[in-house]
Amino acid sequence: VQLQASGGGLVQPGGSLRLSCAASGHIADINGMGWYRQAPGKQRELVATISRGGSTNYVVSVKGRFTISRDDAKNTVYLQMNSLKPEDTAVYYCNMRLRRYGMAYQDYWGQGTQVTVSS
């Protein structure tokens, strides 16, 4: 199983980006999905999560600006980021709790995509 994240880049303050993360491989089922980020010199922090049923959760600093969504037919999770601020600069990682055929649920991580917010 592999998680491939994309969509990062350089954007000016106030701009928008949309991150995508697609899982591939022999996947039986995906439970929760989420996005985390790690800024230089800081610990990795949770940004947003979405449950199988579509319930979402956000860190306070991104509420009202970021939206997480999922497409189960494509095994993909998205993060729409609007009104970006310099403090959103970080490497963003996707996470999925999924089950391979005949195996228990495990956490899988994408490779990370850099988001830089700067003028």
Side-chain angles (χ1 to χ4, degrees):
V1 173
Q2 285 190 323
L3 272 60
Q4 183 68 44
S6 61
L10 173 63
V11 64
Q12 292 187 341
S16 298
L17 284 175
R18 189 191 193 209
L19 306 183
S20 300
C21 176
S24 61
H26 296 286
I27 298 168
D29 179 60
I30 302 177
N31 197 344
M33 300 179 176
W35 288 94
Y36 292 71
R37 66 186 179 187
Q38 187 166 18
K42 295 187 177 181
Q43 290 188 329
R44 189 176 297 189
E45 68 166 349
L46 172 69
V47 176
T49 61
I50 184 166
S51 70
R52 185 201 308 271
S55 296
T56 58
N57 181 54
Y58 299 92
V59 67
V60 171
S61 60
V62 308
K63 280 185 178 179
R65 300 188 297 121
F66 291 10
T67 302
I68 188 171
S69 60
R70 61 190 285 170
D71 184 338
D72 289 328
K74 296 181 179 179
N75 291 340
T76 299
V77 61
Y78 304 96
L79 187 68
Q80 178 67 44
M81 305 185 294
N82 299 328
S83 302
L84 282 161
K85 304 176 181 180
E87 50 263 43
D88 295 317
T89 295
V91 178
Y92 283 70
Y93 299 90
C94 56
N95 168 271
M96 295 187 189
R97 173 152 290 192
L98 61 85
R99 183 173 60 84
R100 299 172 63 184
Y101 290 104
M103 299 182 69
Y105 283 99
Q106 286 184 292
D107 282 325
Y108 289 83
W109 292 88
Q111 84 283 11
T113 184
Q114 176 71 46
V115 172
T116 302
V117 185
S118 175
S119 55

